[in-house]
Amino acid sequence: MEIKEAIKRAKENDQKAFNFLLDTFWDDVYGFQLKRIQNENDAEDITIQTFSKAFDRIETFDDSYKFKTWLITISKNIHIDLLRKEKKSITQITSNDDKSVYQILDESPTPEDELITEQHLAKLLRDIKKLKPHYQEVINLRYFQELSYKEISNKLKEPINNVKVKLLRAKKLLAEIIQEK
């Protein structure tokens, strides 16, 4: 399949076209992020977010540009957004006379937070059960058993990119279920 044909078919919601584009450009986007942030897990997460956003907005892609450039731009913007969020988590750095004071956000949970988390977890588990079994399984393996993509790929005997796409879809469907309430 040619890239232009794949983009055209992806705009028509063709799953094979999405898979082709993911397989074709995964290494480019992942490599770009890995050079920027030098952390494999973060680079992988940003790459997944990049393809998710790109596939959600594929109809806005302008054929006069290169698809790879479009993906890299999305990836770069996602990384910039994450850096901005990170900066906000450290509240302030102030300087009084010659003394530096650092106010760092305390993220340790209070007993109330832990109770709320338990309640949210129970609700989340009920929502996960509404997904199709293969989506439940991939979410369980990634987030509850904390397996890597490679480990999930080996366990399910599926290519790693299929695992990533399946996980991406599972998260989207779960988000839709959660938003319905």
Side-chain angles (χ1 to χ4, degrees):
M1 185 182 315
E2 188 184 309
I3 291 171
K4 287 188 181 207
E5 174 67 18
I7 293 167
K8 182 177 163 253
R9 287 174 48 188
K11 286 181 177 183
E12 296 166 0
N13 223 7
D14 181 325
Q15 188 52 54
K16 287 181 182 175
F18 285 127
N19 289 342
F20 173 80
L21 292 170
L22 182 80
D23 289 340
T24 304
F25 293 103
W26 176 269
D27 290 341
D28 295 320
V29 177
Y30 176 74
F32 170 78
Q33 278 304 330
L34 193 57
K35 284 179 187 170
R36 281 177 71 106
I37 58 181
Q38 298 174 356
N39 178 312
E40 290 179 10
N41 290 332
D42 291 346
E44 199 168 80
D45 288 344
I46 292 172
T47 302
I48 290 170
Q49 290 177 43
T50 300
F51 281 97
S52 173
K53 193 169 197 173
F55 291 164
D56 283 347
R57 311 269 334 267
I58 190 93
E59 71 282 348
T60 66
F61 174 69
D62 182 348
D63 292 335
S64 63
Y65 298 100
K66 288 188 180 269
F67 192 71
K68 177 180 168 182
T69 306
W70 187 63
L71 287 171
I72 296 292
T73 303
I74 292 170
S75 184
K76 184 178 71 174
N77 290 338
I78 288 171
H79 182 233
I80 289 168
D81 289 345
L82 290 172
L83 290 175
R84 285 185 186 135
K85 287 179 186 173
E86 219 172 80
K87 279 186 182 178
K88 288 180 183 178
S89 71
I90 297 178
T91 53
Q92 284 183 335
I93 298 176
T94 58
S95 175
N96 294 342
D97 298 328
D98 289 319
K99 300 175 187 171
S100 292
V101 177
Y102 297 91
Q103 293 181 329
I104 298 177
L105 186 63
D106 179 14
E107 293 184 6
S108 56
T110 65
E112 293 85 4
D113 290 335
E114 289 176 5
L115 181 64
I116 290 168
T117 301
E118 284 177 29
Q119 291 172 345
H120 284 294
L121 182 59
K123 181 184 175 306
L124 179 63
L125 290 172
R126 283 194 303 272
D127 289 340
I128 289 171
K129 288 195 186 306
K130 294 177 184 174
L131 295 171
K132 291 181 180 175
H134 61 278
Y135 289 140
Q136 290 179 31
E137 181 179 28
V138 77
I139 284 181
N140 177 34
L141 293 171
R142 180 70 176 157
Y143 297 106
F144 293 99
Q145 295 183 30
E146 297 182 347
L147 298 182
S148 69
Y149 292 111
K150 187 174 186 177
E151 291 168 326
I152 296 170
S153 172
N154 292 337
K155 188 165 184 126
L156 298 178
K157 294 177 178 58
E158 290 186 24
I160 197 164
N161 284 342
N162 286 9
V163 169
K164 291 174 182 176
V165 170
K166 196 179 282 188
L167 189 60
L168 189 67
R169 283 208 192 97
K171 290 192 311 190
K172 277 187 187 174
L173 291 169
L174 185 58
E176 289 172 12
I177 289 169
I178 291 169
Q179 287 177 346
E180 286 175 3
K181 295 181 177 182

